[in-house]
């Protein structure tokens, strides 16, 4: 079902309405971002907004637990973990009398819109509350707790859910709020444990959260290249003990100094018996005699600062939740706001709850393949990738195919993870893998050598580019490059990098007319902090850079906590692409983000200064302005700093920071490691198929446009787009795609920063059916 496209004034949509927001069940990092967005967008639409403190318990107890929310009351919430408005397990709400009290409290305040951020139990409770609402009102009128007029004014309750759960155990959404942050905590620990394990040649067994869902364990295993993972959805086969010990021995025999085993807390065998860290430790020690340690991470996974992804996710979901509440009718089912690819979607709440319960049922009945499918495409892809890379015997038969890998452009976090996945997947396909050092220049000069399974061990967590990378383009070296390709019998090429990787690949394709050696399948894997590669919504490395910027902005803002009235002007990387500045603006709570794609002049700058001057009159005394490095050649960072300093005299003072190359460095985030691993695997499988198609008369000859592609993430999946055909959508002068999905998030940034702008409500997520998406 889709909503009629009626153009409404978004600032009037909520007039006369009241919205309450509560967090319930286990806390999750990013809940505060969702609360902040719900409050600010609610106020922006003209609605009254209330906090419900202490979850459903606060709803039942009423009184001071239900308080009006103001714009300032959610300031500085973005970077806080947990939930500022509190959460509690509530037995009272499970009883009808408790729900009766809760209904009475809402009616007295005129609240008929409830936004619930929690797990499936909390959302099921919200739906029951909505279903019973009319009967509860009748009972309240009968007992004299509310009047007929009050009941009439509150005749219908709208419910919208957002899923906050670090386990990612709710079906219908790719990611729940808090999952990415929990992965950040886990990977920090895994990286630390890896170094100590290597020092002592130890085996480490690590238990992560996930009583009913193995998502955290699975992604951790993928991101760190674990030897084995135990998840509840897919218990190991009979005789797994022998298989696991053999695999660990195999890893050691190839020269590795450590073993990592990841265990979800709900891990079990086929008979439903728990598999614990202690059992595994005893097994490894007894069978293999390895020095073995176990670590149970526990609640550390729930704590700490939310990642940039969770802040943006919480903010986007909060905006969508308010719109869903204000557009709801008594006929629309209660919905939950979900993430599918990079799209916010609305799904019927109880359909999602039902599918979530179906997973548990399938697991109880031993239908484990079905359980994995029910978890959704994202989970299934992760499981399939893990199986491809982990439970393997290297092939005895070689394919006689040579695939070369080259890194091009600026280095970024995650490049090495992509190389590792590409090399290992290639070897599993029976191919011989070759590393090209120092970009296209290295290819021209023959800096090419075989790269093995062991060489790339431990590369997932390493930042930068171990192969070396340069920005030099291939067009002037096609003679040398074609000779190198012939000399080393290269049959396919994997180019990992940013815009240079795309445009360099295009130069090679155009050189096919003259050089037959270039008629080989090629694939570009986007890897750049700038996120400006055509054919992909995301690039490897952008998430790591975004987290670096966000963390730095948090620290910079905090440095002014004791200082009155200060504005920070911060310059971010990205070339002409405003992705980093925009997303960092959303995740760090910036007042403005200047980018090349959205033209601005002195009038816009003046408006921003006036806006900050007004802001300083409130209780919020800090300002944050982001500027993309190439957004305007005249309005430089120094110019903007001087302008704000001059205009803010007597009201606020300014400081400026140019973040520079720190944005390209550091370890890759869990998202970048996982994304790079999946892209590397997918690229090799695609190349393998392409080479079969292009095999003629005993050799490979590929000269069609579709034999040279970008492997990209588009909306809801990995796709391959021809380099040549993508050229029509590229602004080559400014090295950016002409159409970029994230530009639609710009109005959200401005609304959340309290600007008087139009939030486009014409293109809202329609209500989809999760059952149809599963089919």
């Amino acid at each position: 079902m889709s909503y009629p496209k009626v153009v409404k004034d978004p600032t009037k949509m909520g007039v006369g309405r009241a919205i309450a927001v509560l967090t319930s069940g286990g806390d999750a990092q990013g809940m505060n971002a969702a609360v902040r967005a719900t409050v600010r967008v609610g106020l922006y639409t003209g609605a009254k907004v209330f906090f419900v403190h202490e979850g459903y318990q606060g709803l039942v107890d009423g009184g001071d637990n239900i308080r009006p929310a103001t714009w300032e009351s959610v300031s500085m919430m973005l970077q806080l973990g947990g939930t500022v408005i509190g959460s509690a397990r509530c037995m009272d709400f499970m009883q009808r009398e408790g729900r009766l009290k809760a209904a009475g409290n809402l009616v007295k305040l005129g609240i008929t819109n409830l936004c619930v951020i929690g797990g499936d139990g909390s959302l099921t409770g919200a739906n029951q509350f909505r279903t019973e609402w009319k009967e509860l009102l009748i009972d309240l009128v009968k007992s004299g707790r509310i009047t007929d007029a009050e009941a009439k004014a509150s005749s219908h309750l709208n419910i919208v859910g957002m899923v906050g759960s670090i386990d990612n155990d709710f079906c219908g959404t790719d990611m729940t709020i808090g999952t990415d942050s929990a992965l950040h905590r886990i990977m920090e620990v895994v990286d630390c444990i890896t170094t100590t394990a290597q020092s002592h040649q130890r085996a480490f067994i690590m238990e992560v959260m996930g009583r009913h869902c193995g998502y955290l364990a699975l992604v951790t295993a993928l991101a760190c290249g674990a030897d084995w993972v135990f998840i509840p959805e897919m218990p190991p086969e009979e005789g797994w003990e022998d298989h696991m010990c053999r695999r660990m021995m195999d890893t050691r025999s190839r020269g590795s100094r450590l073993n990592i085993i990841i265990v979800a807390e709900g891990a079990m065998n086929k008979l439903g018996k728990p598999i614990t860290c202690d059992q595994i430790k005893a097994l490894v020690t007894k069978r293999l005699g390895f020095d073995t340690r176990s670590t149970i991470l526990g609640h550390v996974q729930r704590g700490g600062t939310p990642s940039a992804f969770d802040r943006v996710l919480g903010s986007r979901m909060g905006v969508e939740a308010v719109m869903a509440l204000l557009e709801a009718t008594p006929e629309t089912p209660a919905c939950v706001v979900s993430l599918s690819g990079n799209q916010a979607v609305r799904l019927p709440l109880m359909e999602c709850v039902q599918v979530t319960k179906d997973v548990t049922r399938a697991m109880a009945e031993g239908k484990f393949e079905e359980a994995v499918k029910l978890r959704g495409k994202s989970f299934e892809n992760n499981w399939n990738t893990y199986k491809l890379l982990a439970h393997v015997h290297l092939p005895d038969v070689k394919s006689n195919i040579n695939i070369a890998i080259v890194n091009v452009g600026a280095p970024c976090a995650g490049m090495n993870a992509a190389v590792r996945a590409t090399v290992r997947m290639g070897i599993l396909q029976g191919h011989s893998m070759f590393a090209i050092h120092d970009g296209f220049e290295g290819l021209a000069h023959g800096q090419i050598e075989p790269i093995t399974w062991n060489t790339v061990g431990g590369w997932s967590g390493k930042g930068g580019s171990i192969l070396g990378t340069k920005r030099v383009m291939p067009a002037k070296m096609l003679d040398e490059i074609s000779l190198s390709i012939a000399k080393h019998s290269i049959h396919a090429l994997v180019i990992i990098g940013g815009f240079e990787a795309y445009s360099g690949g295009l130069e090679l394709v155009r050189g096919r007319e003259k050089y037959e050696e270039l008629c080989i399948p090629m694939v570009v894997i986007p890897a750049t902090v700038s996120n400006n590669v055509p054919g992909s919504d995301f690039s490897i490395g952008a998430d790591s850079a975004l987290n670096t910027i966000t963390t730095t902005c948090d620290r910079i803002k905090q440095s002014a906590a004791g200082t009155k009235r200060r504005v920070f002007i911060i310059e971010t990387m990205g070339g002409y692409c405003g992705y980093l500045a925009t997303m960092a603006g959303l995740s760090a709570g910036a007042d403005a983000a200047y980018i090349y794609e959205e033209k601005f002049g002195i009038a816009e700058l003046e408006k921003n200064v006036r806006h900050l001057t007004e802001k300083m009159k409130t209780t919020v005394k800090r300002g944050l302005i982001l500027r993309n490095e190439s957004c305007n050649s005249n309005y430089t960072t120094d110019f903007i700093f001087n302008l704000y300093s001059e205009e803010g005299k007597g009201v606020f003072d300014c400081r400026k920071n140019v973040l520079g190359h720190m944005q390209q460095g550091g370890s890759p985030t869990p998202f970048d490691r996982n994304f790079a691993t999946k892209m590397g695997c997918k690229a090799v499988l695609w190349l393998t198929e392409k080479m079969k198609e292009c095999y003629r008369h005993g050799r490979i000859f590929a000269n069609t446009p579709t034999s040279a592609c970008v492997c990209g993430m588009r909306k809801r999946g990995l796709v391959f787009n021809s380099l040549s055909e993508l050229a029509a959508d590229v602004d080559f002068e400014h090295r950016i795609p002409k159409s970029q999905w994230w530009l639609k998030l710009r109005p959200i940034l401005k609304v959340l920063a309290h600007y008087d702008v139009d939030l486009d409500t014409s293109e809202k997520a329609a209500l989809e059916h999760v059952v149809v998406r599963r089919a």
Side-chain angles (χ1 to χ4, degrees):
M1 126 181 217
S2 59
Y3 295 93
K5 292 209 170 188
V6 182
V7 179
K8 308 169 189 164
D9 178 356
T11 60
K12 302 284 190 294
M13 283 174 72
V15 173
R17 315 274 290 274
I19 298 169
V21 58
L22 67 88
T23 53
S24 173
D27 64 308
Q29 311 95 313
M31 278 183 165
N32 292 323
V35 169
R36 172 181 175 269
T38 305
V39 168
R40 290 195 167 174
V41 177
L43 293 172
Y44 163 82
T45 63
K48 283 184 185 170
V49 186
F50 292 83
F51 290 132
V52 179
H53 291 264
E54 313 310 332
Y56 283 122
Q57 195 63 55
L59 208 58
V60 173
D61 295 343
D64 202 31
N65 288 304
I66 306 175
R67 299 178 217 160
T70 64
W71 199 272
E72 286 103 78
S73 64
V74 293
S75 182
M76 295 301 282
M77 271 173 76
L78 259 179
Q79 65 267 45
L80 300 175
T83 163
V84 170
I85 58 175
S87 181
R89 308 279 180 194
C90 176
M91 302 310 290
D92 292 345
F93 194 75
M94 293 181 183
Q95 310 304 317
R96 196 171 192 280
E97 183 52 38
R99 294 193 292 277
L100 204 59
K101 282 184 188 171
N105 292 329
L106 291 180
V107 170
K108 286 292 180 191
L109 291 165
I111 299 167
T112 55
N113 298 282
L114 190 59
C115 182
V116 179
I117 307 165
D120 61 339
S122 304
L123 300 184
T124 305
N127 190 65
Q128 186 181 0
F129 190 40
R130 177 185 188 263
T131 310
E132 290 178 350
W133 184 256
K134 282 190 166 54
E135 294 163 27
L136 294 173
L137 293 192
I138 292 164
D139 286 4
L140 288 167
V141 170
K142 272 185 193 165
S143 59
R145 294 194 226 178
I146 63 169
T147 64
D148 276 329
E150 285 172 328
K152 199 170 180 185
S154 303
S155 60
H156 175 68
L157 179 70
N158 292 321
I159 296 276
V160 168
M162 287 183 260
V163 192
S165 161
I166 68 162
D167 292 342
N168 204 27
D169 56 355
F170 191 81
C171 293
T173 186
D174 288 349
M175 289 289 263
T176 55
I177 295 167
T179 305
D180 188 64
S181 302
L183 284 168
H184 274 250
R185 294 300 87 75
I186 294 167
M187 287 315 302
E188 282 164 20
V189 176
V190 169
D191 286 349
C192 294
I193 278 175
T194 300
T195 54
T196 183
Q198 278 176 324
S199 304
H200 296 273
Q201 295 197 55
R202 281 185 178 143
F204 259 95
I205 300 149
M206 187 180 301
E207 184 189 287
V208 300
M209 282 185 168
R211 206 171 313 142
H212 306 296
C213 178
Y215 186 87
L216 289 179
L218 181 54
V219 173
T220 302
L222 262 182
C224 74
D227 291 282
W228 202 275
V229 68
F230 293 93
I231 60 171
E233 290 87 349
M234 191 55 81
E237 298 295 332
E238 288 294 318
W240 62 267
E241 296 91 343
D242 296 335
H243 188 174
M244 187 184 80
C245 290
R246 197 167 55 243
R247 172 138 183 77
M248 291 172 77
M249 285 294 291
D250 200 25
T251 306
R252 290 286 174 104
S253 69
R254 292 202 200 108
S256 175
R257 291 177 60 85
L258 80 156
N259 297 98
I260 300 273
I261 294 166
I262 308 292
V263 188
E265 63 180 323
M268 57 184 181
N269 65 18
K270 289 265 167 115
L271 302 171
K273 294 263 172 57
I275 294 175
T276 66
C277 281
D278 288 343
Q279 278 175 268
I280 301 164
K281 183 181 173 184
L283 171 74
V284 173
T285 311
K286 187 180 171 188
R287 291 261 191 108
L288 303 175
F290 289 175
D291 185 0
T292 309
R293 299 283 189 275
S294 63
T295 303
I296 295 173
L297 288 192
H299 280 75
V300 70
Q301 295 159 87
R302 281 195 191 283
T305 302
S307 66
F309 182 95
D310 273 330
R311 299 184 200 196
V312 174
L313 178 64
S315 301
R316 288 181 70 187
M317 285 187 166
V319 174
E320 193 61 50
V322 171
M323 292 303 157
L325 279 172
L326 298 180
E327 290 170 3
T329 65
E331 288 71 49
T332 11
C335 81
V336 62
V337 178
S338 297
L339 183 76
S340 179
N342 67 6
Q343 296 177 298
V345 297
R346 299 177 193 175
L347 300 170
L349 172 56
M350 293 320 290
E351 277 188 25
C352 295
V353 169
Q354 186 53 55
V355 179
T356 305
K357 286 177 177 168
D358 289 348
V359 177
T360 315
R361 194 204 68 247
M363 281 155 60
E365 291 172 3
K367 297 175 181 169
F368 300 111
E369 296 283 350
E370 188 184 324
V372 169
K373 274 200 161 42
L374 287 168
R375 277 271 178 243
K377 265 277 173 273
S378 174
F379 191 96
E380 198 179 349
N381 288 342
N382 283 326
W383 176 248
N384 289 336
T385 307
Y386 166 74
K387 278 196 304 187
L388 284 170
L389 286 176
H391 294 201
V392 297
H393 289 293
L394 299 188
D396 300 320
V397 183
K398 291 284 186 188
S399 65
N400 295 323
I401 293 287
N402 298 331
I403 299 180
I405 304 163
V406 62
N407 287 352
V408 177
C412 68
M415 268 186 165
N416 298 320
V419 173
R420 172 187 172 273
T422 306
V423 167
R424 291 199 165 176
M425 184 49 92
I427 291 168
L428 290 172
Q429 297 293 307
H431 309 322
S432 297
M433 304 303 290
F434 287 83
I436 300 167
H437 296 278
D438 299 335
F440 288 124
E441 201 173 89
L443 177 57
H445 298 155
Q447 292 171 248
I448 302 166
E449 62 180 9
I451 187 164
T452 65
W453 185 280
N454 290 350
T455 314
V456 294
W459 280 27
S460 289
K462 292 196 167 94
S465 163
I466 296 170
L467 294 185
T469 178
K470 288 192 174 177
R471 292 178 182 271
V472 180
M473 299 303 283
K476 291 177 182 170
M477 305 180 287
L478 291 182
D479 276 347
E480 296 93 326
I481 285 172
S482 55
L483 285 171
S484 260
I485 288 173
K487 183 183 172 186
H488 292 89
S489 300
I490 293 168
H491 303 115
L493 188 61
V494 178
I495 308 167
I496 301 170
F499 195 84
E500 290 93 347
Y502 168 74
S503 47
L506 201 55
E507 287 179 10
L508 294 180
V509 168
R510 288 170 180 164
R512 281 174 169 178
E513 288 178 21
K514 190 175 174 188
Y515 300 96
E516 203 175 291
E517 292 84 357
L518 300 178
C519 295
I520 55 172
M522 301 175 204
V523 65
V524 172
I525 297 178
T528 167
V529 300
S530 304
N531 199 32
N532 61 338
V533 178
S536 189
D537 294 341
F538 295 104
S539 292
I540 297 161
D543 186 66
S544 301
L546 183 55
N547 276 281
T548 301
I549 298 166
T550 303
T551 308
T552 310
C553 288
D554 287 351
R555 289 177 183 171
I556 287 169
K557 280 166 78 179
Q558 200 174 46
S559 73
T563 313
K564 291 295 175 201
R565 303 190 178 97
R566 179 161 286 173
V567 173
F568 294 96
I569 286 103
I570 296 173
E571 182 188 296
T572 67
M573 272 186 170
Y576 285 95
C577 180
Y579 176 83
L580 285 180
T582 298
M583 297 311 248
L586 269 172
S587 61
D591 295 279
Y594 299 120
I595 64 169
Y596 168 77
E597 292 91 341
E598 198 171 272
K599 304 297 180 213
F600 62 96
I602 202 73
E604 179 76 12
L605 290 166
E606 202 180 342
K607 180 183 169 188
N608 295 153
V609 174
R610 276 203 309 273
H611 180 266
L612 277 172
T613 310
E614 287 304 306
K615 182 182 176 180
M616 296 299 167
K617 294 174 186 172
T618 70
T619 55
V620 186
K621 311 288 185 192
R622 279 173 302 282
L624 179 67
I625 304 292
L626 297 179
R627 179 189 175 275
N628 164 248
E629 60 183 350
S630 301
C631 64
N632 189 299
S633 55
N634 293 316
Y635 300 133
T636 61
T637 302
D638 284 339
F639 177 93
I640 290 172
F641 168 71
N642 292 333
L643 175 74
Y644 275 74
S645 299
E646 181 62 34
E647 295 297 315
K649 267 183 186 165
V651 183
F652 56 79
D653 66 344
C654 289
R655 296 286 185 274
K656 72 168 183 229
N657 290 74
V658 177
L659 299 186
H661 282 77
M662 65 184 288
Q663 296 159 81
Q664 285 180 342
S667 294
T669 57
F671 177 89
D672 277 335
R673 295 182 202 203
N674 188 22
F675 188 45
T677 301
K678 284 197 276 201
M679 295 276 266
C681 290
K682 195 88 172 173
V684 171
L685 292 174
W686 180 84
L687 279 177
T688 305
E689 283 307 306
K690 267 296 158 212
M691 283 186 283
K692 283 179 193 166
E693 282 175 30
C694 304
Y695 190 77
R696 288 190 193 89
H697 313 299
R699 68 190 190 98
I700 287 159
F701 183 81
N703 66 347
T704 60
T706 56
S707 63
C709 285
V710 171
C711 173
M713 173 75 136
R714 276 284 198 224
K715 292 184 179 173
R716 294 179 181 176
L718 291 177
V719 293
F720 289 85
N721 286 301
S722 154
L723 295 176
S724 311
E725 284 163 16
L726 284 170
D729 184 42
V730 178
D731 173 352
F732 281 95
E733 185 190 344
H734 299 102
R735 299 155 51 90
I736 50 173
K738 289 176 186 171
S739 51
Q740 300 183 85
W741 68 273
W742 51 266
L743 284 167
K744 288 182 181 171
L745 304 183
R746 296 275 303 170
I748 296 175
L749 187 147
K750 291 176 183 174
V751 167
L752 294 177
H754 212 177
Y755 279 91
D756 186 16
V757 296
D758 265 355
L759 187 61
D760 180 11
T761 54
S762 62
E763 198 180 310
K764 280 292 125 197
L767 193 67
E768 297 185 8
H769 288 279
V770 69
V771 182
V772 174
R773 287 205 2 230
R774 275 165 49 212

